Amino acid sequence: MRIVVAGGAGFIGSHLCEALLADGHEVIAVDNLLTGQRAHVQAFLDHPRFTFLEHDVTQPLDLAVDQIYHLASPASPEGYRRYPIPTLLVNALGTYHLLELARRYGARFLFASTSEVYGDPLVHPQVESYFGNVNPIGPRSCYDEGKRYGEAMTMEFVRSYNLDARIVRIFNTYGPRMDPHDGRVVPNFITRALRGEPLVIYGDGTQTRSLCYVSDLVRGLRLAMDRDGLAGAVINLGNPHEQTIRELAELVLELTGSMSPILFAEPRPDDPSRRCPDITRARTLLGWEPQVPVREGLQATIAYFAQVLNHAPSAGL
Ligand code: NAD
Ligand code: UDP
């Protein structure tokens, strides 16, 4: 199959490209390198079935295609605060142009949405039928509302044109190729622990997240795309193993053997206090659930960052 991965030079997108190539598909990674890196796809650039297209998906695109994964969007709180308007545009206009492309070629479409559509949730764990508790004008709203708009646009293409499109709501995912500079909790804690610097917890550390290893997530994305009969389906993908940020900090210190202290700073505005997916729907519709325990996934991620840090210039990351 001929598959477009929008956001293919990003953290999750590059792992997806790798998995699709390994299964014999022709892959076109479309990315404007806003938060991604050419280095993430460097290893496949010479692959005969791989093409890298540097392109901003807020502009129209025309190429024959069987499937489109729309993963293009800044994803970390620091990333979308740095690029708030591009974040809104890629999830609105970018989603529109990619849906039009799918419609033109009768392609199947998957929109990578997020657990952030639930905002600071009042329902726990989060089920897909929950409408969420989002501040529409707060500092996270460019991302949360951008994704909610992208979901609405996707559903209208399903309703108006019978497009075979589905939505996955991705919960916090981590692993090798995360950007050490993007400010998310896993790269921050690991790089600081490896350098012996303090791990800084925003707030009191009782807020929770559920961390999914990237290989589990990519398997879920592919099942959600390839399974027939999912037009208009909305599916949570994430690891239901919930932990506090304090527990995560302690686990990273244990696994790295680091003596870094833990410090506490002001909480981030609108920081969700609890987040954990209900994955009943993914289990039922896809037969999917995460397999990589958090200790194992963190060890692989620590090994990756240790290598990155060793190759970094002396100014550090
Ligand atoms: P990432 O920033 O590493 O990757 C996103 C990619 O999209 C980057 O390569 C970036 O350059 C590209 N991009 C951004 N705007 C673009 C545009 N206008 N045109 C073309 N390319 C553009 O982030 P990620 O963690 O790999 O996230 C991938 C997708 O998954 C995003 O849509 C994100 O919202 C979603 N998601 C991720 C997580 C997570 O924990 N990583 C959680 C929920 C949802
Ligand atoms: N966090 C933290 N220290 C850091 C980075 C993040 O305490 O160095 C907290 C953050 O406030 C949030 C959680 O860790 O409660 C997850 O943050 P992240 O930026 O990874 O993603 P989010 O789930 O908020 O989108």
Side-chain angles (χ1 to χ4, degrees):
M1 254 189 290
R2 199 153 192 255
I3 303 177
V4 162
V5 180
F11 157 52
I12 297 174
S14 62
H15 284 279
L16 177 61
C17 289
E18 201 171 351
L20 293 169
L21 284 171
D23 273 1
H25 297 292
E26 184 181 347
V27 178
I28 302 153
V30 181
D31 202 300
N32 67 350
L33 302 177
L34 184 69
T35 53
Q37 291 177 41
R38 195 180 286 271
H40 288 340
V41 292
Q42 192 67 42
F44 341 125
L45 282 180
D46 292 334
H47 194 294
R49 282 183 281 101
F50 183 75
T51 306
F52 178 68
L53 195 60
E54 190 168 337
H55 172 82
D56 182 338
V57 297
T58 63
Q59 302 299 317
L61 181 67
D62 191 6
L63 44 88
V65 60
D66 302 304
Q67 292 185 343
I68 300 172
Y69 288 87
H70 178 13
L71 274 69
S73 169
S76 73
E78 287 190 15
Y80 55 74
R81 279 316 312 148
R82 196 173 311 133
Y83 305 113
I85 293 170
T87 300
L88 282 159
L89 288 176
V90 73
N91 286 295
L93 207 49
T95 304
Y96 170 71
H97 286 307
L98 291 170
L99 282 163
E100 280 291 1
L101 180 64
R103 188 177 158 220
R104 192 171 318 132
Y105 290 98
R108 205 174 258 191
F109 185 91
L110 180 146
F111 180 58
S113 186
T114 169
S115 53
E116 287 282 325
V117 299
Y118 302 121
D120 192 1
L122 305 175
V123 167
H124 199 80
Q126 290 81 58
V127 280
E128 291 89 345
S129 54
Y130 177 47
F131 293 167
N133 176 38
V134 172
N135 176 354
I137 54 166
R140 296 176 87 104
S141 68
C142 59
Y143 186 64
D144 301 9
E145 296 293 8
K147 289 289 184 185
R148 288 167 72 96
Y149 184 96
E151 288 199 7
M153 181 73 85
T154 303
M155 290 307 290
E156 289 311 334
F157 270 70
V158 174
R159 280 191 278 262
S160 303
Y161 305 123
N162 276 325
L163 192 82
D164 192 356
R166 62 271 286 126
I167 294 166
V168 295
R169 293 183 179 149
I170 302 171
F171 285 64
N172 295 66
T173 299
Y174 71 101
R177 298 195 198 133
M178 285 192 98
D179 180 351
H181 305 280
D182 81 6
R184 284 186 268 194
V185 68
V186 169
N188 268 11
F189 282 1
I190 293 178
T191 54
R192 282 169 169 267
L194 289 173
R195 291 189 300 210
E197 294 172 1
L199 276 54
V200 180
I201 290 178
Y202 307 135
D204 63 6
T206 57
Q207 72 269 38
T208 67
R209 292 296 187 270
S210 310
L211 298 176
C212 186
Y213 191 63
V214 65
S215 60
D216 280 330
L217 195 270
V218 165
R219 191 166 42 82
L221 290 176
R222 296 196 55 202
L223 285 167
M225 177 65 104
D226 291 339
R227 203 52 51 106
D228 292 334
L230 292 185
V234 180
I235 305 172
N236 285 339
L237 289 179
N239 191 328
H241 173 77
E242 183 181 4
Q243 62 190 333
T244 67
I245 294 302
R246 169 101 207 204
E247 285 164 347
L248 177 66
E250 283 163 359
L251 183 56
V252 167
L253 291 181
E254 179 200 323
L255 294 176
T256 52
S258 170
M259 301 302 284
S260 290
I262 295 177
L263 303 181
F264 293 86
E266 283 298 301
R268 280 178 176 166
D270 292 341
D271 198 353
S273 52
R274 293 187 78 183
R275 188 182 289 153
C276 179
D278 181 315
I279 60 163
T280 309
R281 198 175 281 183
R283 282 195 179 106
T284 312
L285 293 179
L286 311 177
W288 177 86
E289 62 186 307
Q291 291 169 350
V292 180
V294 74
R295 278 179 169 270
E296 204 178 292
L298 282 175
Q299 269 157 345
T301 312
I302 289 165
Y304 169 79
F305 280 113
Q307 197 189 11
V308 170
L309 284 172
N310 272 336
H311 288 94
S314 55
L317 289 166

